[in-house]
Amino acid sequence: MNDDHDDHAEVAERNLRILEALLFASAEPLAPADMKIYLGQGANAEMLLAELARRYAPRGVNLVRRGDKWAFRTADDLGFLLRRESHETRPLSRAALETLSIIAYHQPATRAEITEVRGVDTGKGTLDLLMEAGWVRMRGRRRTPGRPVTYGTTDAFLDHFGLESLGDLPGLEELKGAGLLSGRLPSTLQIPLPFDGALREDEDPLDPDDLDGGPDLEDDAGN
């Protein structure tokens, strides 16, 4: 019995080392399915990742979840050590930041819906910039006349802003505390809950041309 226990522990430790090596070698967060193929038969990648995250919790590097994927990142309390080394090569404009915020909270959102919330026209160039940064993606097409493209955030967005899921986005009180919202807002105001899933009931899959940089039907419709 002890031999079986020792063998099981040895296999588990080997699998943990494999996961550790894969994650350190990857420049991007990895999904459990991407790593499971390198593990022994019957290995539970999710449980192993949780154990690896527990072991790294007190260290200078932590294993964190970003959406459905995992990655090693500098511990939050040590991030100040690296800030002087980091810089944005292309700072986002106010329009881009507003657009990104609206997409994050209102997704899935069309360009017309983003414009309605902002109160000013949202150019396609702003959306292109956010997609080039890897923070925004085309999700699908709304089942309305013109079938406009819907936009949502990516796992790279979660990773950049240190969020495990969209549910970790700041709430109303946090936004007020950070000075991002006026304290004199109506008591009935609510922060929308973003849809964190594949396609919603009012969305169709993207057309093949969309993935090749095809036209946005919202442009054709004049919205």
Side-chain angles (χ1 to χ4, degrees):
M1 182 66 69
N2 288 336
D3 289 342
D4 290 342
H5 180 272
D6 291 343
D7 289 344
H8 179 77
E10 184 177 341
V11 170
E13 287 298 323
R14 181 176 183 276
N15 283 332
L16 285 170
R17 293 183 64 222
I18 291 173
L19 291 176
E20 187 177 31
L22 291 170
L23 288 161
F24 265 117
S26 176
E28 303 292 337
L30 297 175
D34 297 332
M35 297 178 279
K36 188 174 182 179
I37 58 175
Y38 297 98
L39 305 178
Q41 186 175 6
N44 188 318
E46 288 282 1
M47 289 184 62
L48 289 166
L49 286 163
E51 170 60 19
L52 196 58
R54 185 191 67 78
R55 295 188 184 187
Y56 271 88
R59 301 183 184 180
V61 174
N62 297 157
L63 179 58
V64 297
R65 185 193 289 268
R66 295 293 181 252
D68 296 328
K69 299 180 179 181
W70 294 78
F72 279 115
R73 293 292 180 261
T74 304
D76 289 341
D77 61 326
L78 298 178
F80 71 93
L81 294 172
L82 302 180
R83 277 187 202 127
R84 63 185 178 184
E85 301 297 333
S86 64
H87 62 279
E88 292 290 341
T89 57
R90 188 177 182 183
L92 291 180
S93 65
R94 177 168 181 169
L97 285 172
E98 290 177 354
T99 300
L100 179 61
S101 299
I102 292 169
I103 292 173
Y105 281 98
H106 292 261
Q107 61 186 299
T110 66
R111 187 153 66 93
E113 291 165 349
I114 297 167
T115 293
E116 182 179 359
V117 175
R118 288 189 65 216
V120 295
D121 181 57
T122 301
K124 193 172 184 298
T126 299
L127 289 166
D128 288 341
L129 176 64
L130 293 173
M131 287 193 287
E132 287 174 10
W135 295 344
V136 166
R137 66 185 176 90
M138 295 188 295
R139 289 174 43 89
R141 285 189 175 272
R142 182 84 77 215
R143 292 179 184 173
T144 57
R147 300 183 65 242
V149 168
T150 56
Y151 296 91
T153 54
T154 65
D155 286 344
F157 165 82
L158 297 176
D159 190 27
H160 183 85
F161 291 98
L163 305 171
E164 182 173 316
S165 68
L166 292 176
D168 294 326
L169 284 168
L172 183 59
E173 294 305 318
E174 292 174 280
L175 292 173
K176 285 182 181 178
L180 299 176
L181 290 177
S182 168
R184 295 179 292 177
L185 290 169
S187 59
T188 55
L189 179 68
Q190 293 183 338
I191 295 294
L193 293 176
F195 178 75
D196 191 3
L199 290 176
R200 214 166 58 176
E201 291 183 356
D202 61 350
E203 289 179 285
D204 286 323
L206 291 168
D207 297 329
D209 289 344
D210 295 329
L211 303 177
D212 297 327
D216 184 341
L217 291 188
E218 216 166 8
D219 293 334
D220 298 341
N223 293 326

